[in-house]
Amino acid sequence: MPSYKLYYFNVRGFAEVSRLIFAAAGEKFEDIRYEHEHWPEHKAEMPLGQMPVLEVDGVKLPQSAAIARFLAKRFNLAGKDDFEQAQVDAVVDTIYDLVKALLPTLREQDEAKKQELLKKMFAEELPKHLQNLETLAKLYGKGGPFFVGNHLTWADLFFHSFVETLLGMNGTLLDNNPWLKQNRAEVEKNPKIAEYLKTRPKTER
């Protein structure tokens, strides 16, 4: 029986999709969360001096996407064949396009400028990315509520995790994207996911 340890900060962030994969699969893992002030004590322990890091039977794997993809394949949440896996990756890469567009705004230190950039982002940039995701869902989802193949994959879990932070800033974000809103609802209907969401640590992001 493999031993899993997932190292990250005490936030959802880039580790949450992997936590959701563990939850959906019903697999046990050690959820190791460092507060930011204690991170310098552990930085040298990580292969690239960054997190998240997954440790499998004593071997550490960095990079959030590599970790999530490995876990999804191991627990049958990556797509049922090579082409479905490529479709899942296309959805995930499209979500990362959204992440890349948003990060500079979130990292803005001037609060007034940050709010101005967020307003523009929600009005102009985000709708295009959300429409791209709906386009892929129509192509790959076979008419169901999930992004690929009418079954749960880590693309659904990644979308749920990332958009949760955005919904905390703007609760009406998905009002013009009913399919995406339904997709999140379907993820939350999964009993194992529902239990995890109910019991996980409460964090702002």
Side-chain angles (χ1 to χ4, degrees):
M1 192 76 174
S3 164
Y4 301 104
K5 296 179 182 178
L6 184 63
Y7 300 85
Y8 197 53
F9 299 105
N10 186 27
V11 294
R12 295 189 304 274
F14 285 108
E16 192 65 10
V17 61
S18 292
R19 294 176 183 136
L20 286 168
I21 292 169
F22 276 120
E27 293 285 337
K28 291 183 179 179
F29 74 105
E30 194 173 342
D31 188 10
I32 299 170
R33 297 170 178 246
Y34 294 133
E35 299 299 335
H36 279 80
E37 60 267 28
H38 299 305
W39 165 234
E41 304 163 26
H42 301 280
K43 188 172 182 177
E45 301 166 7
M46 305 304 163
L48 302 179
Q50 62 189 40
M51 298 188 293
V53 165
L54 176 69
E55 184 175 323
V56 184
D57 293 335
V59 180
K60 289 177 177 171
L61 176 70
Q63 300 290 7
S64 58
I67 292 167
R69 192 173 287 111
F70 162 75
L71 292 172
K73 287 180 178 178
R74 176 157 284 197
F75 303 141
N76 301 313
L77 289 166
K80 291 183 177 177
D81 56 37
D82 288 348
F83 197 49
E84 270 200 10
Q85 288 181 15
Q87 292 170 340
V88 169
D89 285 344
V91 174
V92 167
D93 287 347
T94 303
I95 299 170
Y96 270 115
D97 287 342
L98 177 51
V99 174
K100 287 178 209 166
L102 186 65
L103 278 180
T105 300
L106 294 181
R107 289 171 176 164
E108 174 59 52
Q109 296 298 306
D110 184 311
E111 191 58 34
K113 187 176 180 183
K114 181 177 181 177
Q115 292 308 314
E116 184 182 326
L117 289 170
L118 278 173
K119 186 176 179 181
K120 185 177 180 182
M121 174 71 67
F122 279 108
E124 299 175 15
E125 192 75 22
L126 287 179
K128 293 184 288 185
H129 289 284
L130 295 176
Q131 187 53 54
N132 286 343
L133 288 167
E134 289 214 344
T135 296
L136 293 185
K138 287 173 185 172
L139 283 173
Y140 305 146
K142 297 184 178 179
F146 299 111
F147 276 108
V148 175
N150 203 16
H151 55 86
L152 183 71
T153 68
W154 77 281
D156 305 294
L157 301 177
F158 187 32
F159 179 72
H160 185 282
S161 168
F162 177 66
V163 171
E164 183 169 356
T165 298
L166 296 181
L167 287 169
M169 301 178 201
N170 181 350
T172 65
L173 175 67
L174 299 181
D175 284 2
N176 293 324
N177 301 93
W179 187 91
L180 295 175
K181 189 181 281 192
Q182 182 60 31
N183 172 259
R184 295 192 81 250
E186 289 296 322
V187 168
E188 291 172 6
K189 286 179 187 176
N190 180 296
K192 292 175 183 174
I193 293 290
E195 179 63 22
Y196 170 74
L197 294 176
K198 188 170 70 176
T199 59
R200 70 182 176 181
K202 301 291 183 253
T203 59
E204 287 186 8
R205 56 185 176 89

